[in-house]
Amino acid sequence: MAGTAERARAVLSSPTSSRSVTQTVNGSHKFVIQGYSLAKGMGVGKHIASDLFTVGGHHWAIYFYPDGKNPEDNSAYVSVFIALASEGTDVRALFELTLLDQSGQGKHKVHSHFDRSLESGPYTLKYKGSMWGYKRFFRRSMLESSDFLKNDCLKINCTVGVVVSAIACPQLHSIYVPESDIGSHFGALLDNMEGSDVTFHVAGEKFPAHKLVLAARSPEFRSKFFDGLDVEKKDIIVTDLEPKVFKAMLHFIYRDTLTEEVDKVPSTSDSDFPVSETLTAKLLDAADKYGLKRLRLMCESRLCKDICVNSVVSILTLADHCHATELKAVCLKFAAQNLAAVMRSDEFEYMKEKCPWLQSEILKTIAGCEGDSCSVGEKSQSVWAQLSDGGDTNGRRVRQRI
């Protein structure tokens, strides 16, 4: 009896442990300010904002004030701040602002909380819109004669370290689970054509496949093979896709990845090759036709990287045609923020002629941005007025199509 009681006490008194770990989740953003001389004179307290970036589950933005933030300084200094751009209360963080020396000598101007002792701890931002930074970041006269300004361009690096705390419990054992290889197995099925029960004929090329696999992945194929006229067919002629596009689509259906050929396509922003003629664009169209939502998103993501002033109208037109809603939203926002430059492109005139409703959507996007006080800038308001009155950025009258 006594031995049993002692053993019970020994079990109950076994020690446990835990550990509180407080650390920072760090992220960086590079903000390039091109056309500094044109930004001057916009007014004290008015800023140019970077795109939003995410660190530690919160959105952030860099605000650059060419004429300074403090009226008492009479525009003698430029101001730079980091702002909390998402909902949050008492967000504790460390910050670092670096104005890059563009002479190559590495003599950057750095203001940092990192790697030094903070007497009062990390900075606390109380609510959305709270900022940390410097009203007198740099005397403007010195900045304009320094190596920080080159070709009318400034480059600012921002690092944010969001403070997080967690309880770490000891983990005695772990078992590694490899990534899913189901795609490679289905890919092998496509490669060796074992058990194929349908053959697609595309411009003289043959593509054996499996009806069940296609039907499981695509509602269009499911309808063809189980509800339509192709239930018993073993040979199907495809006339609306090129062989390379159909092959890339089959690759995705079986492997859930893009082909290397798609990934290696050069950026449309770096060439004169029409967006609509790229494999990615044609694959986006195929994804829309065959109801492959994930493939459509993957193509949208790939095309999103190629958005620039010269390509945004073509990509917007394509996105509208292919029901690529996320890509279309990005194009509309980019066009709204850079409308004066976009309007000068040849594609803009084509869009107004062939897709006039997209011009109306761009204008609505501008109105929405201005209503939300996003960083479209004062110039977008004048362009909005010109378009609304029927004029272009050079003051000429244009016929309304909206």
Side-chain angles (χ1 to χ4, degrees):
M1 290 291 289
T4 302
E6 289 178 0
R7 285 195 298 272
R9 281 196 297 272
V11 172
L12 292 174
S13 61
S14 297
T16 60
S17 67
S18 63
R19 180 165 55 101
S20 174
V21 179
T22 300
Q23 57 189 0
T24 58
V25 177
N26 299 338
S28 298
H29 183 80
K30 183 178 181 179
F31 185 28
V32 177
I33 301 165
Q34 187 72 52
Y36 163 79
S37 61
L38 299 176
K40 289 195 306 180
M42 66 190 305
V44 176
K46 294 186 178 180
H47 65 265
I48 299 171
S50 70
D51 197 4
L52 299 183
F53 58 98
T54 303
V55 180
H58 300 280
H59 295 313
W60 306 87
I62 305 170
Y63 290 172
F64 176 74
Y65 298 77
D67 297 321
K69 193 174 187 293
N70 190 358
E72 298 175 359
D73 289 332
N74 296 317
S75 300
Y77 294 86
V78 297
S79 305
V80 182
F81 283 82
I82 303 171
L84 177 63
S86 59
E87 297 297 336
T89 56
D90 295 333
V91 179
R92 301 174 68 237
L94 303 178
F95 301 103
E96 180 176 282
L97 284 171
T98 303
L99 182 61
L100 297 182
D101 173 14
Q102 299 188 64
S103 68
Q105 299 179 26
K107 297 180 179 179
H108 311 305
K109 181 178 176 63
V110 182
H111 294 281
S112 179
H113 284 160
F114 295 89
D115 300 325
R116 66 184 178 92
S117 177
L118 298 175
E119 183 177 343
S120 57
Y123 193 82
T124 301
L125 290 88
K126 294 292 186 180
Y127 45 80
K128 180 179 180 181
S130 297
M131 296 188 290
W132 173 90
Y134 294 87
K135 292 181 180 179
R136 296 182 174 182
F137 184 75
F138 211 116
R139 184 176 287 275
R140 199 160 75 169
S141 59
M142 295 177 62
L143 174 64
E144 292 170 1
S145 60
S146 72
D147 290 326
F148 300 111
L149 180 64
K150 182 178 180 181
N151 298 327
D152 207 26
C153 173
L154 295 171
K155 296 181 180 180
I156 299 174
N157 275 353
C158 164
T159 299
V160 177
V162 178
V163 178
V164 294
S165 296
I167 299 297
C169 298
Q171 185 174 353
L172 300 178
H173 307 286
S174 64
I175 298 175
Y176 171 74
V177 179
E179 295 292 327
S180 171
D181 57 358
I182 188 172
S184 63
H185 287 287
F186 275 91
L189 192 65
L190 176 65
D191 292 339
N192 60 34
M193 300 177 286
E194 184 178 357
S196 62
D197 56 358
V198 63
T199 300
F200 293 91
H201 300 263
V202 188
E205 296 189 29
K206 297 180 180 180
F207 297 93
H210 307 79
K211 289 184 177 180
L212 280 177
V213 176
L214 301 180
R217 298 282 276 161
S218 162
E220 179 66 19
F221 280 125
R222 187 183 309 120
S223 176
K224 283 178 177 291
F225 296 142
F226 295 108
D227 302 321
L229 300 176
D230 298 335
V231 174
E232 302 297 332
K233 283 187 178 181
K234 293 188 176 181
D235 292 275
I236 297 176
I237 298 174
V238 177
T239 59
D240 58 350
L241 295 178
E242 298 174 25
K244 65 178 181 180
V245 179
F246 192 81
K247 182 179 180 179
M249 184 178 73
L250 282 183
H251 179 97
F252 167 79
I253 288 176
Y254 280 79
R255 291 182 172 85
D256 203 43
T257 61
L258 296 177
T259 63
E260 291 184 3
E261 186 177 355
V262 174
D263 283 334
K264 291 181 179 178
V265 169
S267 171
T268 56
S269 60
D270 297 332
S271 67
D272 296 328
F273 198 63
V275 173
S276 60
E277 293 302 312
T278 63
L279 178 56
T280 308
K282 294 178 179 180
L283 196 55
L284 175 64
D285 188 39
D288 182 50
K289 290 178 181 178
Y290 287 87
L292 301 168
K293 294 181 180 180
R294 177 171 165 78
L295 176 59
R296 182 167 60 194
L297 275 175
M298 293 169 75
C299 292
E300 287 184 69
S301 176
R302 178 66 179 80
L303 288 166
C304 183
K305 299 175 183 177
D306 290 340
I307 293 175
C308 65
V309 168
N310 293 328
S311 67
V312 64
V313 173
S314 298
I315 297 177
L316 172 60
T317 306
L318 174 69
D320 182 70
H321 172 73
C322 297
H323 308 95
T325 54
E326 295 201 28
L327 180 61
K328 181 178 178 180
V330 173
C331 288
L332 287 172
K333 181 179 179 181
F334 181 92
Q337 292 176 334
N338 302 275
L339 186 55
V342 171
M343 286 174 62
R344 299 188 191 100
S345 66
D346 295 336
E347 288 79 5
F348 190 81
E349 291 300 320
Y350 175 84
M351 183 199 72
K352 289 197 298 183
E353 185 68 30
K354 300 297 182 180
C355 309
W357 59 90
L358 292 178
Q359 183 182 3
S360 176
E361 292 190 46
I362 292 174
L363 295 181
K364 291 178 182 177
T365 302
I366 294 175
C369 285
E370 291 174 348
D372 293 338
S373 299
C374 74
S375 58
V376 177
E378 293 182 349
K379 291 184 180 179
S380 68
Q381 297 183 12
S382 64
V383 175
W384 162 268
Q386 290 165 6
L387 277 175
S388 300
D389 293 339
D392 67 7
T393 53
N394 295 317
R396 298 189 297 268
R397 299 291 295 177
V398 295
R399 180 165 60 88
Q400 291 292 295
R401 291 190 173 91
I402 59 174

